[in-house]
């Protein structure tokens, strides 16, 4: 099994193993179109349907995907739907430092006066994050939030991402507001379990949350 490996040594190893009759599998979850090791393996397994399709179109005929699961789930009895803080909408964002810049449009919206009752908590391995990333920090941030927000980068990198972050919020009984990418469209039921945004101009979603927070007192 090859995972996130590249370079001449990885290519040579894949070729030697294949020549010796050993089955080889490349496992990946990121956009890396210039990695030749993928098509030198017998099978590709990705974490999104779009990523598997991408490599199938480039010669990895035996390409499959396994949807990312959540790392943990809440019992249904633990999900009460009550606001964490009446009159306030608590948003939680979790991600890698490489995706930190995707927060900029959301921060710009939250800086406007009409969203003064929104609180954003960020969990990441980034020096400016509110909380340093750890499995326990993620659980606490999600539990203390009302809504999960999931921002993505630009295509084509974003379009092959898995649904992991969205699914994690949903597994904790939290609605999500997320950028629209194929894997999120597969799992989010719009208006029921969350909302998908096509651009920063979809501010109406935040406005709806603001109205609900005010009605909750």
């Amino acid at each position: 099994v090859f995972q996130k490996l590249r370079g001449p040594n990885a290519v040579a190893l894949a070729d030697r193993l294949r020549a010796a009759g050993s089955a080889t599998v490349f496992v990946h979850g990121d956009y890396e179109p210039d990695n030749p090791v993928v098509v030198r393996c017998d099978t590709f397994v990705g974490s999104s349907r779009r990523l598997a399709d991408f490599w199938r179109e480039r010669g990895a005929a035996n390409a499959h995907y396994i949807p990312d699961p959540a790392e943990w789930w809440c019992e249904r009895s633990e999900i009460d739907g009550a606001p964490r803080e009446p009159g306030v909408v608590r948003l939680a964002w979790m991600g890698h430092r490489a995706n930190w810049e995707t927060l900029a449009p959301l921060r710009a919206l939250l800086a406007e006066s009409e969203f003064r009752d929104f609180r954003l908590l960020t969990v990441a391995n980034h020096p400016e994050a509110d909380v340093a990333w750890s499995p326990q920090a993620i659980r606490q941030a999600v539990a203390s939030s009302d809504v999960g927000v999931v921002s993505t980068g630009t295509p084509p990198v974003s379009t092959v991402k898995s649904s992991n972050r969205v699914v994690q919020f949903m597994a904790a009984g939290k609605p999500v507001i997320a950028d629209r990418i194929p894997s999120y469209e597969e799992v989010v039921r719009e208006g029921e379990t969350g909302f998908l945004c096509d651009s920063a101009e979809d501010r109406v979603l935040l406005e709806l949350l603001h109205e609900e927070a005010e009605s909750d007192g």
Side-chain angles (χ1 to χ4, degrees):
V1 176
F2 291 74
Q3 183 178 18
K4 297 186 177 182
L5 295 178
R6 60 180 300 139
N9 290 339
V11 169
L13 178 58
D15 289 344
R16 287 287 296 274
L17 288 171
R18 203 170 185 183
S22 297
T24 53
V25 180
F26 197 99
V27 180
H28 213 345
D30 297 322
Y31 181 74
E32 202 174 52
D34 59 343
N35 190 345
V37 186
V38 178
V39 294
R40 307 295 259 270
C41 292
D42 298 303
T43 301
F44 172 79
V45 178
S47 55
S48 75
R49 188 190 308 273
R50 182 62 65 91
L51 188 59
D53 290 344
F54 175 87
W55 281 111
R56 188 179 297 110
E57 293 166 0
R58 282 155 181 78
N62 196 22
H64 308 272
Y65 93 103
I66 300 174
D68 259 352
E71 279 75 32
W72 51 275
W73 290 261
C74 281
E75 295 295 330
R76 186 177 293 272
S77 59
E78 299 174 18
I79 303 170
D80 58 14
R84 306 300 99 182
E85 184 179 344
V88 171
V89 180
R90 300 177 66 89
L91 308 175
W93 181 93
M94 54 185 175
H96 191 271
R97 61 178 177 271
N99 298 315
W100 188 255
E101 295 305 318
T102 67
L103 275 169
L106 176 61
R107 288 185 181 280
L109 277 177
L110 295 181
E112 297 183 17
S113 59
E114 65 183 294
F115 300 123
R116 61 186 176 277
D117 296 329
F118 282 66
R119 305 288 184 271
L120 174 64
L121 179 70
T122 57
V123 184
N125 56 347
H126 189 280
E128 296 178 20
D130 297 312
V131 179
W133 188 96
S134 73
Q136 185 59 31
I138 291 295
R139 292 188 70 130
Q140 291 176 347
V142 173
S144 66
S145 69
D146 299 307
V147 179
V149 288
V150 184
S151 52
T152 64
T154 56
V157 175
S158 63
T159 55
V160 300
K161 291 289 186 182
S162 76
S163 59
N164 175 261
R165 286 186 292 160
V166 162
V167 168
Q168 186 58 74
F169 280 115
M170 294 169 68
K174 306 295 180 177
V176 293
I177 292 181
D179 287 332
R180 185 183 298 278
I181 64 172
S183 63
Y184 297 169
E185 290 180 312
E186 291 181 6
V187 297
V188 175
R189 294 195 301 271
E190 292 235 42
E192 263 186 83
T193 58
F195 298 94
L196 297 177
C197 307
D198 291 295
S199 72
E201 299 306 312
D202 275 342
R203 56 186 296 135
V204 64
L205 305 180
L206 288 178
E207 290 168 353
L208 285 172
L209 289 175
H210 187 251
E211 291 172 5
E212 290 184 9
E214 289 184 329
S215 66
D216 288 333

